[in-house]
Amino acid sequence: MDIRDVAPFTLIGLDRINVILGKNGCGKSYLLKAIEQHSRRNGGLAKVRYITPERGGFLRYDPAIEQTISQNINWLSDTRRRNQSDNFRQQSTTLFRQLEILALREIEREHTEPGYTPRTFDTTVALLNGLLDRVQIERDAGRVFRILDKDTGAESGPEEISSGEAELISLGIEILAFSKECVDGEANLLLIDEPDVHLHPDLQDRLARFIVAVTADRL
């Protein structure tokens, strides 16, 4: 895959997963934002999404965000290009609802195909929980999901979990939702700026393996 004539950049021979390295201030975020905007203006990709490095907010469902996304298809991408996204995690929580719908529709399409392995949306939730050590998420009709201590079952509020736990949950949702939105047989592009922020090295490794597994046949 090649991405040509993006501002002063041309990227040739890209693989399925690519990592951009460089010191702070060298232009990595500028490049990713430029690629996302170029792709939206010029087409050529079935699906493209940029995830900002400054991922603020809490893992709490906000109906106003869902309404805004439904009314303005460009709002999410426009918000993500800002240097600070104060309600990123609220956006991710909203995407969890979309992920559920997409996963269930996928099951509906595939359940009559030969060799189909029975699964439910809880199978997808289990992938998310595999990223986490201390807590897990559980579907909840009123709040989209709730966060529980794995050992005691006690509920943890969005403000009570660590920044690393919140980061893994929100990124996991974002990656899974994007993978379900991808168009099979066409080029799709997910741009994650500083995916390792707030994560201990062992969790960085876990997230990297998660990305490889989820995107194996999607991007």
Side-chain angles (χ1 to χ4, degrees):
M1 177 181 177
D2 296 343
I3 300 177
R4 298 180 178 274
D5 302 321
V6 181
F9 306 108
T10 292
L11 290 82
I12 299 174
L14 296 175
D15 209 332
R16 183 171 55 84
I17 296 177
N18 305 274
V19 179
I20 299 174
L21 301 175
K23 64 181 181 180
N24 291 345
C26 71
K28 301 186 298 297
S29 295
Y30 176 81
L31 170 61
L32 295 180
K33 292 176 186 178
I35 292 171
E36 191 261 351
Q37 290 181 288
H38 174 84
S39 300
R40 290 187 182 279
R41 286 196 304 265
N42 298 284
L45 293 170
K47 193 74 180 177
V48 59
R49 177 174 293 160
Y50 167 74
I51 296 178
T52 176
E54 298 298 333
R55 297 180 278 268
F58 297 100
L59 289 165
R60 182 186 300 113
Y61 172 64
D62 185 341
I65 289 179
E66 185 167 28
Q67 183 177 15
T68 301
I69 291 173
S70 67
Q71 293 175 345
N72 181 358
I73 60 173
N74 295 317
W75 179 82
L76 197 64
S77 59
D78 291 343
T79 302
R80 296 290 174 83
R81 293 189 207 106
R82 300 172 186 166
N83 288 335
Q84 176 70 45
S85 183
D86 294 330
N87 57 12
F88 178 88
R89 289 170 185 161
Q90 286 93 317
Q91 297 169 22
S92 298
T93 304
T94 297
L95 286 180
F96 185 85
R97 291 167 63 95
Q98 182 178 348
L99 170 61
E100 182 172 10
I101 292 170
L102 293 171
L104 292 174
R105 287 179 179 174
E106 183 179 75
I107 291 169
E108 186 179 64
R109 287 194 308 271
E110 297 178 356
H111 80 282
T112 58
E113 296 180 0
Y116 170 75
T117 302
R119 65 184 188 277
T120 67
F121 182 59
D122 286 333
T123 307
T124 301
V125 175
L127 290 175
L128 284 171
N129 286 330
L131 284 169
L132 304 166
D133 283 327
R134 188 185 67 86
V135 298
Q136 64 184 23
I137 66 172
E138 183 178 276
R139 299 160 71 185
D140 184 274
R143 294 169 291 175
V144 184
F145 61 79
R146 56 187 182 142
I147 305 167
L148 305 175
D149 186 288
K150 283 187 175 181
D151 293 329
T152 67
E155 185 168 350
S156 296
E159 299 88 350
E160 297 170 345
I161 63 174
S162 72
S163 59
E165 290 167 336
E167 191 77 2
L168 283 173
I169 294 171
S170 60
L171 283 179
I173 292 170
E174 295 275 342
I175 294 164
L176 284 169
F178 186 84
S179 75
K180 300 299 183 186
E181 294 173 340
C182 288
V183 180
D184 291 338
E186 298 190 30
N188 305 276
L189 186 62
L190 177 62
L191 305 162
I192 308 178
D193 204 338
E194 297 187 14
D196 56 344
V197 68
H198 300 144
L199 298 181
H200 191 272
D202 66 324
L203 297 182
Q204 293 174 10
D205 177 76
R206 191 176 300 183
L207 177 63
R209 294 176 186 275
F210 175 85
I211 292 172
V212 171
V214 170
T215 63
D217 59 352
R218 290 289 186 177
L219 306 182

